[in-house]
Amino acid sequence: GWQVSMRSGSLSYVLPCNRLPLQLMSQVRVYTSNGQKKDLGSEDKNGSARGETLHKVETGQDTTNAGQKQSLPKQPIQVKVKAVLKKREYGPKYTQNNFITGVRAINEFCLKSSDLDQLRKIKRRSPHDDTETFTVYLRSDVEAKSLEVWGSPEALARERKRRKEAEIKYRENLFRNQRLLWEYKEFFGNTKPRSSTAAMFFKGPGKVVMVAICINGLNFFFKLLAWVYTGSASMFSEAIHSLADTCNQALLALGISQSARTPDPSHPYGFTNMRYIASLISGVGIFMMGAGLSWYHGIIGLLHPHPVESLLWAYCILAGSLVSEGATLLVAINEIRRSARAKGLSFYQYVVQSRDPSTNVVLLEDAAAVLSVAVAATCMGLTSLTGNPYYDSVGSLGVGTLLGTVSAFLIYTNTEALLGRSIEPEQLQRLTESLESDPVVRAIHDVKATDMGMSKVRFKAEVDFDGRVVTRSYLEKQDIEQLLQEIQQVKTLEELEAFMLKHGENIIDTLGAEVDRLEKDLKQRNPDVRHVDLEIL
């Protein structure tokens, strides 16, 4: 069998065969992470002596064949062992190097601002556009300070519970105080200057909506009087149409005011979609109130016809309605033309894409109103000439069909906008080329650009960064001579690890700064892009 003699780093192998025994001696050096070196081959000289003795004994057993064998010289084999760092086990909740802001430290660990003055302060790159750097603290220091202040984790948990209950009571009292303040303003009058929300109704889409509310409200009142006087089904449909328009445009005004609210933690991207929601509900309201009641009254007129009284007043009211609805329609058309020209779109594209849902609703409602006035006047004229009341009922059905078509278009366009449709391919191509032209970017993948409504775009892409360019950008800001001296002073593995960790963290910060720069440049070149999410591939 095999005969092996082993001690420390000295290995001796003897082969039981007719050939000469082969002895291999190797000297192994092992490096540890602390830079110490162990010479296992020369650790014990007695091991080598035992190997030589064993070698002599084995060669004595084969004296009969000694003349036929030639001794082989011993050649030591050099074995190089790669020096590696000891792997560290961080665990699932490793927070030794995690940072935490002062606000979170005070809120989550129930500390005071004076408690943080004694902790180590670290300046980090700010994620916000309005500030360059901000102060953070090591989470381990904050946790240790909280235990020092409160004595135990149980006491800290009790304090958190107490503060949570106090916060709930505060919110309840705040809601009660806001309601009392509102009642106080209602009683004594609000003397505050006009807010920016109120100013929205004096220009742009808000102005169009307010003009439409006033005109449609007056039209409803006069059409209702004409229907009571004449009993015409077409005039009833016109009155219902004007009422539906007034209610829907009041809903649009509510949507405009709500869309101007500032973002909060519950809605970080703001309330811009409130305009689309209001327009969608408006479309449903037109279908139910306008089209539904007009169809119902027209069908009733066909089933139970009755003679129509004098239509002179009805014609006069329809003529006035035609003028007022036409004026509102012109206001809406001019506003859409101005907005479409600013966006570089045609009139048709601006309407179909529902870039401004509030103005679109006013435009389509007034266009339908003008057409419905023409349909109602025609059918009422046929009824006056022929004396047949069926023409009047058919006119009511025609107005209902027109309103149903408008409501279906509004529901479709606003639903598409709320679902988050993509931007135009040409605009997406421009954004992609703008990113790919930057030297720090190798390639971009999985590009998504969503229209959030009101010409606000959210852009997302996975970016493959060029590590060499990022590293060169970091080195350009460093003193190369000093960096070279640091490299030359590295002698041990601990010093090498500290050097790599220091500059590795700085390079990661440089990469983050490059991401911020790309996002800022993208927003400046494309004002429609409000939110940019770049993921490092």
Side-chain angles (χ1 to χ4, degrees):
W2 291 76
Q3 298 185 18
V4 181
S5 175
M6 178 184 297
R7 181 176 178 83
S8 299
S10 181
L11 308 177
S12 176
Y13 297 93
V14 180
L15 303 177
C17 60
N18 294 330
R19 300 181 180 275
L20 287 177
L22 177 62
Q23 182 182 16
L24 301 178
M25 303 295 295
S26 65
Q27 190 175 27
V28 182
R29 291 181 178 178
V30 179
Y31 292 85
T32 63
S33 60
N34 57 7
Q36 297 179 355
K37 178 174 62 179
K38 296 182 180 180
D39 191 353
L40 299 181
S42 60
E43 181 181 358
D44 193 350
K45 297 181 179 180
N46 295 330
S48 300
R50 288 193 182 92
E52 294 178 358
T53 304
L54 182 60
H55 173 67
K56 293 179 180 179
V57 172
E58 293 299 334
T59 54
Q61 295 177 358
D62 297 332
T63 54
T64 56
N65 300 327
Q68 301 176 1
K69 302 175 181 177
Q70 298 178 357
S71 61
L72 297 177
K74 295 185 292 182
Q75 297 179 354
I77 300 177
Q78 300 293 333
V79 179
K80 294 183 179 180
V81 179
K82 183 179 180 181
V84 295
L85 292 174
K86 182 180 179 181
K87 185 177 180 181
R88 296 185 179 181
E89 298 294 339
Y90 292 105
K93 294 183 179 180
Y94 179 77
T95 59
Q96 183 177 354
N97 295 329
N98 287 8
F99 294 142
I100 186 173
T101 61
V103 176
R104 287 189 59 191
I106 293 175
N107 294 334
E108 296 182 11
F109 294 92
C110 305
L111 297 177
K112 300 178 181 178
S113 58
S114 58
D115 297 331
L116 303 179
D117 295 338
Q118 306 172 4
L119 303 181
R120 290 177 288 179
K121 299 179 178 63
I122 303 171
K123 294 290 185 180
R124 301 296 296 173
R125 179 177 53 85
S126 174
H128 307 289
D129 297 335
D130 54 349
T131 55
E132 295 183 357
T133 60
F134 71 122
T135 304
V136 294
Y137 304 87
L138 283 173
R139 188 183 183 91
S140 56
D141 292 349
V142 175
E143 291 176 351
K145 186 64 178 179
S146 64
L147 293 179
E148 177 185 344
V149 172
W150 296 105
S152 64
E154 292 77 11
L156 178 60
R158 288 194 299 269
E159 179 64 19
R160 286 175 176 171
K161 183 179 180 181
R162 187 190 67 80
R163 293 193 179 190
K164 187 68 175 178
E165 295 174 352
E167 182 181 0
I168 295 175
K169 292 181 179 179
Y170 169 78
R171 290 180 179 178
E172 293 176 353
N173 293 332
L174 181 63
F175 176 76
R176 188 181 300 108
N177 293 335
Q178 287 178 345
R179 185 171 182 179
L180 291 175
L181 182 62
W182 179 78
E183 294 177 354
Y184 171 83
K185 290 180 180 178
E186 287 291 323
F187 182 76
F188 290 99
N190 190 358
T191 59
K192 292 178 62 178
R194 183 180 297 138
S195 63
S196 58
T197 303
M200 295 177 60
F201 294 103
F202 292 91
K203 61 181 180 178
K207 178 181 177 181
V208 175
V209 171
M210 294 305 296
V211 170
I213 289 176
C214 296
I215 292 179
N216 285 318
L218 292 175
N219 288 339
F220 165 71
F221 177 74
F222 288 111
K223 287 179 182 179
L224 185 65
L225 292 179
W227 171 71
V228 172
Y229 180 74
T230 61
S232 171
S234 297
M235 186 55 65
F236 175 81
S237 298
E238 280 298 306
I240 294 298
H241 182 188
S242 296
L243 175 62
D245 289 350
T246 304
C247 296
N248 291 329
Q249 285 151 8
L251 185 61
L252 293 178
L254 178 62
I256 291 175
S257 63
Q258 292 296 315
S259 66
R261 294 169 57 188
T262 56
D264 56 25
S266 300
H267 305 85
Y269 290 105
F271 299 85
T272 307
N273 285 337
M274 279 301 299
R275 293 196 183 189
Y276 292 96
I277 295 174
S279 300
L280 178 62
I281 299 174
S282 177
V284 175
I286 292 174
F287 185 81
M288 294 179 63
M289 292 181 60
L293 289 178
S294 297
W295 283 332
Y296 171 78
H297 206 271
I299 293 173
I300 293 298
L302 291 175
L303 296 178
H304 306 285
H306 61 278
V308 180
E309 301 294 336
S310 175
L311 299 178
L312 177 61
W313 287 105
Y315 290 139
C316 295
I317 292 175
L318 285 179
S321 177
L322 181 64
V323 173
S324 60
E325 297 285 1
T328 310
L329 179 62
L330 288 178
V331 173
I333 290 176
N334 291 332
E335 177 64 25
I336 290 180
R337 282 181 176 175
R338 185 186 62 81
S339 301
R341 192 181 306 111
K343 298 296 181 181
L345 299 174
S346 64
F347 185 89
Y348 175 77
Q349 289 177 333
Y350 193 88
V351 173
V352 171
Q353 294 177 10
S354 190
R355 293 300 183 110
D356 187 356
S358 303
T359 309
N360 273 5
V361 172
V362 175
L363 171 71
L364 296 175
E365 285 183 348
D366 289 339
V370 171
L371 293 177
S372 63
V373 166
V375 172
T378 302
C379 293
M380 289 170 61
L382 292 175
T383 300
S384 299
L385 293 175
T386 61
N388 188 354
Y390 287 106
Y391 288 111
D392 187 55
S393 299
V394 171
S396 180
L397 293 176
V399 172
T401 303
L402 185 61
L403 293 178
T405 304
V406 171
S407 66
F409 179 80
L410 290 176
I411 292 172
Y412 171 76
T413 55
N414 288 284
T415 302
E416 286 291 313
L418 289 173
L419 287 176
R421 61 192 172 193
S422 178
I423 62 176
E424 292 297 319
E426 295 79 8
Q427 186 180 4
L428 182 60
Q429 182 67 22
R430 289 197 302 269
L431 295 175
T432 303
E433 292 177 354
S434 176
L435 270 182
E436 290 180 335
S437 62
D438 196 279
V440 79
V441 177
R442 283 178 174 171
I444 59 174
H445 308 278
D446 193 22
V447 180
K448 295 183 178 67
T450 306
D451 188 353
M452 300 176 59
M454 299 304 300
S455 300
K456 294 182 179 180
V457 177
R458 180 180 180 182
F459 182 83
K460 176 262 177 186
E462 294 188 1
V463 183
D464 185 3
F465 286 90
D466 192 336
R468 296 170 298 179
V469 177
V470 175
T471 305
R472 188 175 293 109
S473 175
Y474 168 70
L475 293 176
E476 290 174 354
K477 303 174 184 178
Q478 305 300 314
D479 187 350
I480 300 300
E481 295 293 337
Q482 182 180 358
L483 188 62
L484 181 59
Q485 293 178 3
E486 292 182 11
I487 296 174
Q488 293 174 351
Q489 292 175 0
V490 174
K491 302 298 182 183
T492 63
L493 293 179
E494 283 77 7
E495 294 176 353
L496 177 62
E497 180 183 4
F499 176 83
M500 295 299 295
L501 291 177
K502 171 187 173 182
H503 293 282
E505 183 177 7
N506 293 338
I507 290 176
I508 294 299
D509 290 340
T510 303
L511 178 59
E514 291 293 333
V515 172
D516 292 343
R517 179 183 62 82
L518 290 176
E519 293 178 350
K520 186 176 181 180
D521 292 346
L522 205 62
K523 292 179 181 179
Q524 289 179 349
R525 296 177 183 176
N526 305 272
D528 291 345
V529 179
R530 302 296 179 88
H531 305 282
V532 181
D533 301 324
L534 299 182
E535 300 179 3
I536 301 176
L537 186 60

